[in-house]
């Protein structure tokens, strides 16, 4: 594997990973911008249009016709949240030229398509094309309304809203129904121009063979813009509420959901990660072994960290009548860790599980892109092996200290309407 | 033992197939340059196998719905410990799943794969069920059932299957119901285990950073020879008609979710692969994102980007499913049916066919790019009665006439059902 990072003028990073084992080429372009209730929906609509059409391919079917001809190449966009930031991404993936039956230059054609979509969008007179805009806006509205379809995901999103209320991270990266309704072809185009000219950009190209044309072409395209971009702050610890806030909502569901949001002031991120792993990230974690296996209260009960916000979430699906019992057991298991009741086996299995995940970095193109993007955000360009050594050095005492620093911030409950009294 | 090297003529990828002396079929793919390992140990035993017998039984046994899935959960408990505790010592990430036709136990790891493989082979061959452990699992699976009942995608799909199939057990929920799993006891679990967890009915697939010699040495040590007991599974007669043309359910969802399904004639083995591919290409030409119909329905606001298709087939069932979100699902159904009927009369262009064929070729190559996908490809293709690289060859032989024939002979208005889950206020 060969890794190289170049920096283009205008605060743009270009990382290339050449790994001959792959059969595909992947290009991931991430635009990093502040997450704001006012712009989230405009940004999301703009990026939706960018990956669906361009000035050359004016409709979704025209673009997809071309992608099909290129052996089912894919082109998509995304809007995700990382702490207080909105990460808008365009991702393309295609077969390496060596698999082209008819000898096409798939990479060259895909580069044309990606550059066309990003730099020559389906727009005129400062507005996106009305038809493409209408389809994408409705798609975003449907996506926002359909968040409730995934009950676990919805409960976690609502818990984040409650925990980070008043902070950018408390907003959805798609915006709300109300803000999405207000997006116009002109406002989405303005958002596109603003992001292109002001957002910090990180590009990742992962392929089996080198192709200098990719870097050259993207460097030229970005050089044609008048950019003024500032560096973002990736860490934004969330302040702890003076009293834990409890929010419950009723739905016509069979199973209730509970999400506990904790916050910490600890800067010891490796210890917090180990704490979360021992607490609830594996099938031998304290939550799995006790809340699920011993007490049979839940099918899932797990923890996860929200590193940039210094937060940790525990979520479970549970009978409404057992919510109190489940919460008590979750807090009891956290107390166990606070009291130092972590066996050598629990610690070593947590370390092994993390090592297992780190050693697999590089087995898929997306894992390379995710790894190097995370290193960029953390401003710490280390290898997975070096990262593992950092985790391995975490002692039980540091985990106990991290656990003691965790404070309950908020509780979100999705309650079964039928069993409500 | 019989060893065979299987090679894809198109990509040069290869794997080893071993018919082990224990009766087990083993697939090994050494993938140069990859760090991780994915292993699946599976039995041809899924939620549809509710009626069976071996040559030792006089009568067929009928078991409660959801028992294959229940068994999957219970196998993770050994007599002296929980299997996850064993995996915790190797760092592997372990799991299992039950589908309509199979139950698989799996792990992925990037270190100590030999130790994890020993754990996998050992625990799956060592059942241990007690009344107390069965009782405990009822609570956990009860919560899993409630969780899936709150999943509208799951509900809309099973409601469709119940509208297409009168008797075939594909219509029952994989995990069963809270009531059906209450009938399960240790004795029944042993009966099902003894019947289906015979190595002659099982497959091991392992891919990634492995050595075939090391894998086979571990298999020699850990696999206990099994006598083939002549397992027979039967299904009730299934009429070729559908049960009902429309079903609706209320759930908290955003835009209503729909599944539109055509009931087709089932088949097995290579014929099923061929037919699935013809069906997939045909519905792709009609409705994928490059089609005229897709763009038209988008323009009319009848679908969004969630629209997609699936060829859903197995032992005794075959259907073509269109799914997505729409505020007017009946209009989508009518448009799909009208387009299919138009194509029946007018056909489609060779250009559209070639485009979709190229796209499918790309997706088959991409599958070989990933350790997990290769392990799954090997086990799935074996269970489907074909080789792992057969799909690329079958695709190369496919013609537009094959696709048109599928549309003309399998997709009929009176075999069409629609399931909708729409929001509650």
């Amino acid at each position: 594997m060969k890794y190289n990072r170049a920096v283009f003028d205008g605060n743009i990073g270009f990382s290339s990973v050449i790994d001959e084992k792959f059969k595909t080429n992947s290009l991931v372009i991430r635009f990093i911008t502040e997450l704001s209730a006012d712009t989230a929906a405009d940004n999301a609509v703009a990026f939706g249009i960018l990956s669906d059409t361009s000035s050359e391919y004016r409709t979704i079917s025209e673009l997809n016709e071309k992608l099909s001809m290129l052996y089912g190449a894919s082109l998509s966009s995304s809007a995700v949240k990382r702490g207080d930031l909105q990460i808008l991404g365009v991702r393309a993936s295609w077969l390496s030229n060596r698999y082209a039956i008819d000898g096409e230059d798939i990479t060259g054609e895909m580069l044309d398509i990606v550059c066309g979509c990003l730099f020559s969008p389906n727009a005129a007179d400062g507005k996106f094309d009305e038809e493409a805009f209408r389809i994408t806006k409705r798609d975003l509205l449907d996506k926002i309304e359909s968040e409730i379809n995934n009950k676990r995901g919805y409960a976690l999103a609502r818990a984040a809203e409650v925990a980070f209320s008043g902070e950018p991270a408390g907003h959805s990266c798609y915006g709300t129904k109300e803000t999405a309704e207000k997006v116009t072809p002109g406002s989405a185009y303005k958002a596109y121009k603003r992001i292109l000219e002001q957002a910090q950009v990180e590009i990742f190209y992962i392929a089996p063979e080198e192709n200098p044309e990719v870097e050259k072409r993207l460097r030229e395209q970005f050089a044609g813009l008048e950019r003024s971009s500032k560096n973002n702050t990736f860490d934004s610890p969330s302040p702890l509420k003076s009293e834990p806030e409890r929010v419950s909502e009723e739905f016509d569901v069979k199973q209730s959901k509970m999400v506990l949001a904790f916050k910490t002031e600890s800067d010891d991120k490796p210890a917090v990660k180990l704490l979360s792993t021992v607490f609830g990230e594996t099938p031998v974690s304290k939550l799995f072994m006790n809340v699920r296996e011993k007490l049979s209260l839940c099918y899932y009960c797990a923890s996860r960290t929200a590193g940039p916000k210094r937060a940790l979430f525990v979520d479970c699906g549970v009978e409404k009548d057992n919510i109190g019992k489940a919460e008590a057991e979750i807090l009891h298991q956290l107390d166990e860790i606070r009291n130092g009741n972590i066996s050598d086996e629990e610690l070593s299995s947590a370390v092994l599980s993390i090592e297992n995940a780190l050693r697999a970095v590089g087995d898929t193109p997306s894992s390379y892109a995710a790894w190097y993007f995370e290193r960029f955000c953390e401003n710490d360009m280390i290898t997975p092996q070096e990262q593992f050594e950092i985790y391995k050095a975490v002692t039980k005492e540091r985990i106990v200290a991290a656990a003691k620093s965790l404070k309950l911030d908020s509780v979100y409950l999705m309650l079964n309407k039928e069993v409500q009294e | 033992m019989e060893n065979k090297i299987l090679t894809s003529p198109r990509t040069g990828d290869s794997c080893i197939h071993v018919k082990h002396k224990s009766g087990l079929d083993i697939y090994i793919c050494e993938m140069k340059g990859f760090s991780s390992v994915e292993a699946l140990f599976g039995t041809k035993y899924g939620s549809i196998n509710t009626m069976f017998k071996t040559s030792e039984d006089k009568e067929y046994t009928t078991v409660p719905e959801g028992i294959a899935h229940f068994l999957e959960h219970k196998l993770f408990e050994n007599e002296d410990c929980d299997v996850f505790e064993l995996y915790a010592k190797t760092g592997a990430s372990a799991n299992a799943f039950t589908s309509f036709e199979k139950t698989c136990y799996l792990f992925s790891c990037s270190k100590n794969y030999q130790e994890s493989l020993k754990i996998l082979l050992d625990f799956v061959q060592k059942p241990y069920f007690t009344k107390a452990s069965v009782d405990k699992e009822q609570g956990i699976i009860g919560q899993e059932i409630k969780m899936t009942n709150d999943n509208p995608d799951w509900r809309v799909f099973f409601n469709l299957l119940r509208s297409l199939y009168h008797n075939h057990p594909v219509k029952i929920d994989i995990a069963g119901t809270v009531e059906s799993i209450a009938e399960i006891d240790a004795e029944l679990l042993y009966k099902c285990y003894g019947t289906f967890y015979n190595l002659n009915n099982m497959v091991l697939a392992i891919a990634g950073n492995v050595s075939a010699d090391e894998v086979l040495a571990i298999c020699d040590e850990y696999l206990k020879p099994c006598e083939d007991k002549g397992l027979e599974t039967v299904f009730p007669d299934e009429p070729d008609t559908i049960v009902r043309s429309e079903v609706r359910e209320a759930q908290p969802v955003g835009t209503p979710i729909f599944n539109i399904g055509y009931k087709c004639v089932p088949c097995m083995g290579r014929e099923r692969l061929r037919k699935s591919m013809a069906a997939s290409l045909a519905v792709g030409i009609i409705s994928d994102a490059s089609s005229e119909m897709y763009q038209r329905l988008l323009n009319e606001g009848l679908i969004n980007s969630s629209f997609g298709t699936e060829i859903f087939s197995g032992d005794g069932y075959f259907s073509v499913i269109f799914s997505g979100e729409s505020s007017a699902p009946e209009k989508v159904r009518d448009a799909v049916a009208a387009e299919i009927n138009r194509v029946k009369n007018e056909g489609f262009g060779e250009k559209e066919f070639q485009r979709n064929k190229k796209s499918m070729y790309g997706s088959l190559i991409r599958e070989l790019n990933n350790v997990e996908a290769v392990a799954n490809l090997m086990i799935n293709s074996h269970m489907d009665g074909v080789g792992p690289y057969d799909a690329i060859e079958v695709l190369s032989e496919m013609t537009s006439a094959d696709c048109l024939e599928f549309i003309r002979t399998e997709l009929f208005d009176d075999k069409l059902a629609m399931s909708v889950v729409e929001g509650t206020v």
Side-chain angles (χ1 to χ4, degrees):
Chain A
M1 187 278 278
K2 194 174 150 195
Y3 170 75
N4 185 53
R5 184 168 188 272
V7 179
F8 303 168
D9 286 342
N11 210 7
I12 297 161
F14 178 91
S15 298
S16 74
V17 180
I18 305 305
D19 191 331
E20 64 180 18
K21 67 176 179 265
F22 293 130
K23 294 177 165 61
T24 56
N25 297 18
S26 303
L27 183 62
V28 181
I29 306 178
R30 293 197 168 110
F31 294 81
I32 306 156
T33 186
E34 285 163 10
L35 177 58
S36 141
D38 297 335
T39 57
D42 276 307
N43 297 350
V45 169
F47 271 70
I49 298 172
L50 292 185
S51 64
D52 277 351
T53 58
S54 69
S55 62
E56 186 177 0
Y57 303 100
R58 302 292 298 269
T59 65
I60 289 174
S61 66
E62 279 175 32
L63 179 59
N64 278 281
E65 202 175 301
K66 182 67 187 172
L67 294 172
S68 285
M69 286 301 289
L70 294 172
Y71 302 93
S74 67
L75 178 62
S76 61
S77 63
S78 60
V80 296
K81 195 157 61 165
R82 189 189 187 282
D84 283 352
L85 300 169
Q86 186 184 28
I87 316 289
L88 297 149
V90 170
R91 175 185 292 269
S93 170
W94 61 92
L95 277 193
S96 162
N97 283 351
R98 67 176 185 264
Y99 294 105
I101 297 172
D102 299 327
E104 300 98 326
D105 174 16
I106 311 175
T107 300
E109 297 219 41
M110 281 304 291
L111 208 48
D112 286 344
I113 291 171
V114 173
C115 288
C117 288
L118 264 182
F119 301 104
S120 179
N122 188 7
D125 305 325
K127 293 189 294 189
F128 279 117
D129 173 78
E130 289 278 354
E131 191 67 6
F133 165 79
R134 199 171 54 80
I135 289 169
T136 308
K137 178 175 166 176
R138 201 192 50 247
D139 212 59
L140 181 71
L141 280 164
D142 286 348
K143 207 179 273 179
I144 292 168
E145 291 205 337
S146 297
E147 280 175 342
I148 185 62
N149 295 8
N150 173 355
K151 309 295 180 292
R152 184 177 182 178
Y154 182 86
L156 278 163
R158 286 286 294 123
E161 270 179 47
V162 175
F164 309 136
S165 169
E167 302 167 57
H171 301 301
S172 161
C173 56
Y174 299 135
T176 61
K177 194 181 167 195
E178 291 69 32
T179 55
E181 290 280 13
K182 287 182 192 151
V183 180
T184 65
S187 69
Y189 187 78
K190 260 189 209 153
Y192 155 73
K193 291 293 277 182
R194 190 179 58 244
I195 291 162
L196 212 60
E197 287 163 6
Q198 295 175 15
Q200 215 172 345
V201 182
E202 280 296 307
I203 306 169
F204 303 89
Y205 177 60
I206 301 115
E209 59 262 316
E210 299 203 44
N211 185 339
E213 189 58 28
V214 178
E215 180 182 336
K216 183 171 165 269
R217 183 78 182 275
L218 288 165
R219 191 189 282 271
E220 283 167 4
Q221 289 281 356
F222 277 105
L225 303 171
E226 299 227 346
R227 279 179 51 84
S228 66
S229 159
K230 65 177 177 60
N231 286 337
N232 288 287
T233 305
F234 289 93
D235 270 16
S236 44
S238 178
L240 180 73
K241 294 182 179 53
S242 52
E243 284 295 320
E245 184 178 355
R246 289 179 179 267
V247 173
S248 62
E249 293 170 342
E250 291 181 0
F251 291 89
D252 184 10
V253 290
K254 309 274 185 300
Q255 183 186 63
S256 296
K257 310 278 184 209
M258 173 166 64
V259 187
L260 306 182
F262 297 89
K263 289 179 186 165
T264 171
E265 288 179 351
S266 170
D267 285 328
D268 193 351
K269 280 188 186 177
V272 174
K273 173 65 185 165
L274 255 302
L275 157 67
S276 180
T277 310
V278 170
F279 190 30
E281 288 194 22
T282 75
V284 289
S285 65
K286 287 188 179 294
L287 295 180
F288 191 95
M289 293 303 270
N290 291 286
V291 185
R292 172 178 150 136
E293 291 296 309
K294 200 165 139 198
L295 299 178
S296 295
L297 290 172
C298 307
Y299 173 67
Y300 71 87
C301 181
S303 69
R304 66 186 75 196
T305 55
K309 301 302 294 176
R310 302 282 195 277
L312 182 147
F313 291 88
V314 171
D315 78 323
C316 64
V318 60
E319 286 289 317
K320 193 225 167 201
D321 290 346
N322 287 332
I323 284 174
K325 225 187 273 180
E327 182 178 344
E329 186 61 22
I330 291 165
L331 296 175
H332 171 65
Q333 290 306 321
L334 182 57
D335 277 340
E336 287 286 286
I337 300 176
R338 285 171 175 150
N339 293 331
N341 291 328
I342 308 166
S343 68
D344 291 343
E345 289 76 27
E346 282 174 312
L347 181 57
S348 70
S349 78
V351 171
L352 271 172
S353 142
I354 289 173
E355 182 186 16
N356 194 47
L358 287 170
R359 287 170 64 105
V361 168
D363 266 11
T364 57
S366 59
S367 71
Y368 271 130
W371 172 260
Y372 286 112
F373 184 61
E374 193 56 28
R375 297 327 326 145
F376 168 77
C377 297
E378 292 287 327
N379 191 24
D380 189 11
M381 204 47 82
I382 54 175
T383 64
Q385 179 60 33
E386 287 165 335
Q387 174 81 77
F388 170 62
E389 296 299 333
I390 291 168
Y391 286 126
K392 209 168 124 190
V394 173
T395 59
K396 226 179 261 187
E397 290 68 32
R398 282 169 64 191
I399 297 174
V400 169
K404 284 181 174 167
S405 78
L406 272 194
K407 303 277 185 299
L408 185 63
D409 177 88
S410 38
V411 179
Y412 173 78
L413 296 174
M414 172 187 279
L415 296 177
N416 176 350
K417 203 185 267 182
E418 289 164 355
V419 294
Q420 269 287 88
E421 293 183 12
Chain B
M1 271 199 320
E2 232 179 89
N3 291 18
K4 222 194 271 178
I5 295 175
L6 308 172
T7 305
S8 164
R10 180 68 226 171
T11 65
D13 288 77
S14 66
C15 67
I16 299 166
H17 173 219
V18 176
K19 183 70 188 172
H20 193 259
K21 60 191 175 198
S22 61
L24 184 70
D25 282 285
I26 302 169
Y27 289 82
I28 307 164
C29 184
E30 297 175 345
M31 294 173 72
K32 199 172 157 242
F34 288 86
S35 305
S36 55
V37 173
E38 179 86 13
L40 297 112
F41 191 14
T43 168
K44 290 179 213 166
Y45 179 38
S47 62
I48 64 170
N49 304 117
T50 52
M51 207 174 165
F52 54 82
K53 78 180 189 76
T54 65
S55 52
E56 292 170 353
D57 304 316
K58 281 187 186 148
E59 306 289 332
Y60 281 100
T61 301
T62 302
V63 289
E65 296 177 0
I67 193 163
H69 172 258
F70 203 102
L71 182 46
E72 170 222 309
H73 271 239
K74 284 326 304 166
L75 220 50
F76 275 94
E77 268 177 52
N78 271 351
E79 188 167 359
D80 42 3
C81 72
D82 188 292
V83 171
F84 286 121
E85 290 173 34
L86 301 175
Y87 278 121
K89 292 186 174 64
T90 71
S93 166
N95 211 336
F97 65 86
T98 307
S99 66
F100 294 97
E101 294 189 285
K102 61 178 172 281
T103 308
C104 290
Y105 301 84
L106 57 117
F107 70 80
S108 65
C109 68
S110 46
K111 194 182 169 188
N112 301 330
Y113 87 87
Q114 296 97 327
E115 287 310 306
S116 297
L117 181 59
K118 288 174 190 172
I119 295 168
L120 177 68
L121 296 181
D122 190 50
F123 92 83
V124 174
Q125 293 182 93
K126 260 192 205 159
Y128 178 71
F129 315 123
T130 63
K131 184 176 184 316
S133 73
V134 169
D135 288 350
K136 183 206 80 174
E137 210 65 27
Q138 317 261 7
I140 296 170
I141 297 179
Q143 285 306 312
E144 188 180 1
I145 291 170
K146 289 196 171 186
M147 182 181 79
T148 52
N149 282 340
D150 281 335
N151 179 344
D153 294 317
W154 190 265
R155 293 296 302 170
V156 78
F157 177 58
F158 274 92
N159 288 347
L160 175 75
L161 294 181
R162 282 186 275 273
S163 300
L164 291 175
Y165 294 93
H166 296 262
N167 305 318
H168 194 287
V170 71
K171 68 179 186 165
I172 64 175
D173 204 305
I174 288 170
T177 62
V178 172
E179 294 74 30
S180 73
I181 63 168
E183 296 169 30
I184 294 171
D185 58 24
E187 195 187 340
L188 263 180
L189 290 173
Y190 276 117
K191 170 84 186 168
C192 293
Y193 180 86
T195 305
F196 288 99
Y197 284 69
N198 179 305
L199 293 181
N200 293 283
N201 191 47
M202 299 179 74
V203 196
L204 172 71
I206 184 163
N209 186 15
V210 293
S211 143
D213 290 342
E214 285 172 3
V215 169
L216 291 174
I218 293 167
C219 287
D220 286 344
E221 189 184 346
Y222 278 79
L223 295 174
K224 300 168 195 159
C226 274
E227 183 195 337
D228 190 342
K229 289 183 181 168
L231 170 63
E232 281 178 50
T233 55
V234 287
F235 304 113
D237 285 340
E238 175 63 34
D240 58 6
T241 57
I242 60 168
V243 181
R244 63 185 76 79
S245 59
E246 192 171 324
V247 58
R248 288 177 187 260
E249 180 178 323
Q251 274 227 8
V253 291
T255 309
I257 301 173
F258 66 84
N259 270 198
I260 295 164
Y262 282 91
K263 186 175 183 176
C264 308
V265 179
C267 54
M268 294 299 284
R270 203 172 167 90
E271 193 192 341
R272 180 171 143 202
L273 173 62
R274 237 184 140 268
K275 187 165 168 172
S276 298
M277 205 166 263
S280 183
L281 287 166
V283 299
I285 293 165
I286 287 170
S287 69
D288 76 7
S290 66
S291 69
E292 181 278 329
M293 183 183 84
Y294 182 91
Q295 186 70 50
R296 176 162 41 88
L297 296 182
L298 272 182
N299 291 349
E300 289 170 6
L302 289 174
I303 58 169
N304 60 26
S305 62
S306 68
F307 185 77
T309 57
E310 183 190 351
I311 309 305
F312 175 69
S313 69
D315 193 352
Y317 57 94
F318 194 111
S319 48
V320 171
I321 300 172
F322 298 82
S323 61
E325 298 173 359
S326 177
S327 48
E330 55 290 336
K331 288 187 180 168
V332 180
R333 176 196 55 201
D334 295 346
V336 167
E339 182 64 4
I340 284 170
N341 290 325
R342 186 193 67 76
V343 170
K344 272 184 191 172
N345 294 324
E346 298 173 18
F348 44 67
E350 184 62 22
K351 198 175 138 205
E352 282 80 22
F353 169 75
Q354 291 299 341
R355 189 172 70 223
N356 273 269
K357 193 170 169 178
K358 268 192 166 180
S359 180
M360 186 178 283
Y361 165 82
S363 69
L364 293 174
I365 303 279
R366 271 195 293 275
E367 206 173 8
L368 304 174
N369 209 24
N370 179 298
V371 170
E372 187 184 338
V374 169
N376 278 285
L377 172 69
M378 292 191 295
I379 201 162
N380 290 338
S381 53
H382 177 84
M383 291 206 179
D384 290 346
V386 295
Y389 308 117
D390 287 1
I392 296 182
E393 299 320 304
V394 170
L395 177 67
S396 68
E397 295 158 7
M398 197 62 59
T399 65
S400 57
D402 295 325
C403 298
L404 205 51
E405 188 197 343
F406 176 81
I407 295 173
R408 287 181 174 150
T409 58
E410 295 277 358
L411 304 182
F412 296 103
D413 290 351
D414 61 350
K415 304 278 173 62
L416 174 61
M418 179 175 72
S419 163
V420 177
V421 169
E422 48 204 344
T424 48
V425 182

